[in-house]
Amino acid sequence: MTVLAQRMRAQRLSHPARDVTDLFSSVFALQAQDVFAARLAARARGVRSLDGPLVRTWAMRGTLHLFHEDDLWVVNLLGPIFIAAGRRRRAQLGLTDELCERALPALREVLKKPLERADIVSRLAEVGIALDPKSQAPAHLLAFAAHSGVLCRGLDDTYRLLHIDCEPRDVDELWRRYRRAYGPATPDDFAAWSGLPKRQLKNLTEVTDEPAEPNGTVRMLGHFDPYLLGYRDRSAALAPEHADLVQTGGGFLTPHVVVDGRVVAVWHRDGDQIAVHPFGARPDLADEVADLGRFFEVDARLTWV
């Protein structure tokens, strides 16, 4: 259980963050293709608002994450890898290397203010870059631009220009930040979390994880919470016989309850009811349900199913 206690501490689940900056200095990023899920993840770590110097953009595994602006060096580190990985699919969609490179300065001109995808497609057409709005081409071109450090996506889902003002960092720095957020963990876990090929993960710096002991922490985590997403091997926290109840496919996680780092139940919201399906003994969820009620702005009631 000491390993799980260390992970809970690293993830700021047993030792809540003081504010947004404190949170992101520890966890590095929150998965954010679903902004609501990112807000739930922040709630479980003691942070009630995502107001602050945060940027939502594509990085680890080529997926949307929320970062502190000081950590946008990760875009320059990982972007070229995912640009190369997506080249074949872009070509299938008619997005040649020449067209993609030509689109970057055009996007800088188009995005003088935040825009939705459809508006971007229309304005690009006006400057000679025609995309089929019904195809996947717009999404892949915008992903190329994001990995190139040109644009990002706001919490309101509009696209806007990105300005990166960070010194370059290397894979070893990303490994250190990963271990600060998820340790103890292995290079295999790091590869799964980052999307980096294993050939780039040789000779990683030895990292010592901060000690911790179980303290009875109970947390109700949402879908896409980073606590489980940070590992290839989740068996320490999630028993194999319960894995299918939590990992339902496509990277989606059913909202779940952890006690001292171990997943002990799944839950869902139905109006003002927080319905919990425990795997064994019922954990004490009074405080967490009350805080979820504050989060959802309802008088939350716990039901067992």
Side-chain angles (χ1 to χ4, degrees):
M1 291 292 285
T2 300
V3 167
L4 295 182
Q6 289 176 288
R7 291 178 175 180
M8 289 281 283
R9 182 185 183 94
Q11 274 289 301
R12 305 307 295 266
L13 290 168
S14 59
H15 296 72
R18 296 184 300 274
D19 53 33
V20 160
T21 298
D22 184 38
L23 174 63
F24 281 84
S25 71
S26 295
V27 303
F28 187 63
L30 294 178
Q31 190 141 334
Q33 66 264 52
D34 183 330
V35 173
F36 185 77
R39 296 187 190 280
L40 264 179
R43 179 214 70 86
R45 291 157 176 82
V47 174
R48 294 192 171 196
S49 170
L50 291 178
D51 292 339
L54 304 180
V55 177
R56 183 179 176 222
T57 193
W58 289 259
M60 288 80 72
R61 305 182 304 284
T63 59
L64 272 169
H65 285 76
L66 202 57
F67 297 93
H68 192 280
E69 63 183 8
D70 291 344
D71 291 324
L72 290 176
W73 52 265
V74 72
V75 175
N76 293 333
L77 177 66
L78 298 181
I81 294 169
F82 297 117
I83 286 174
R87 187 180 187 187
R88 181 177 179 183
R89 180 56 180 149
R90 289 195 302 274
Q92 292 171 344
L93 294 167
L95 299 173
T96 64
D97 291 346
E98 184 276 332
L99 185 149
C100 289
E101 290 298 333
R102 186 159 50 90
L104 296 183
L107 284 165
R108 290 189 179 97
E109 290 299 316
V110 164
L111 286 172
K112 295 299 186 183
K113 64 178 182 179
L115 294 174
E116 295 183 354
R117 183 189 298 176
D119 295 322
I120 295 173
V121 171
S122 296
R123 297 197 184 192
L124 285 176
E126 294 172 1
V127 295
I129 299 174
L131 304 172
D132 180 356
K134 296 181 180 179
S135 74
Q136 294 182 356
H140 281 264
L141 179 62
L142 293 175
F144 173 85
H147 290 311
S148 299
V150 170
L151 59 79
C152 61
R153 200 165 188 182
L155 295 179
D156 61 357
D157 279 339
T158 61
Y159 295 84
R160 67 262 325 269
L161 289 177
L162 177 62
H163 176 65
I164 299 176
D165 185 19
C166 303
E167 292 294 324
R169 309 289 177 87
D170 59 13
V171 170
D172 213 45
E173 174 64 13
L174 186 61
W175 162 246
R176 286 191 290 268
R177 292 297 302 274
Y178 168 74
R179 284 292 294 269
R180 185 190 303 174
Y182 292 95
T186 68
D188 276 351
D189 291 324
F190 178 52
W193 171 82
S194 65
L196 284 166
K198 290 186 179 180
R199 65 178 180 275
Q200 295 191 19
L201 306 184
K202 298 177 181 178
N203 303 315
L204 294 171
T205 298
E206 187 66 31
V207 177
T208 301
D209 301 299
E210 188 172 353
E213 294 296 332
N215 63 1
T217 296
V218 178
R219 290 288 180 264
M220 299 182 73
L221 306 182
H223 52 296
F224 297 120
D225 191 274
Y227 176 66
L228 287 180
L229 290 175
Y231 309 96
R232 183 185 301 279
D233 181 359
R234 301 169 182 171
S235 60
L238 179 60
E241 62 267 27
H242 302 139
D244 288 346
L245 295 174
V246 178
Q247 301 170 156
T248 54
F252 185 86
L253 299 175
T254 302
H256 45 285
V257 180
V258 295
V259 177
D260 276 335
R262 189 172 297 281
V263 180
V264 300
V266 292
W267 66 274
H268 69 273
R269 178 193 173 201
D270 183 7
D272 64 353
Q273 294 188 52
I274 306 296
V276 179
H277 171 62
F279 302 153
R282 295 178 177 181
D284 182 356
L285 300 178
D287 289 345
E288 278 291 275
V289 168
D291 195 57
L292 282 174
R294 175 201 60 78
F295 179 85
F296 291 123
E297 298 182 331
V298 299
D299 184 12
R301 295 184 295 117
L302 171 63
T303 61
W304 300 98
V305 295

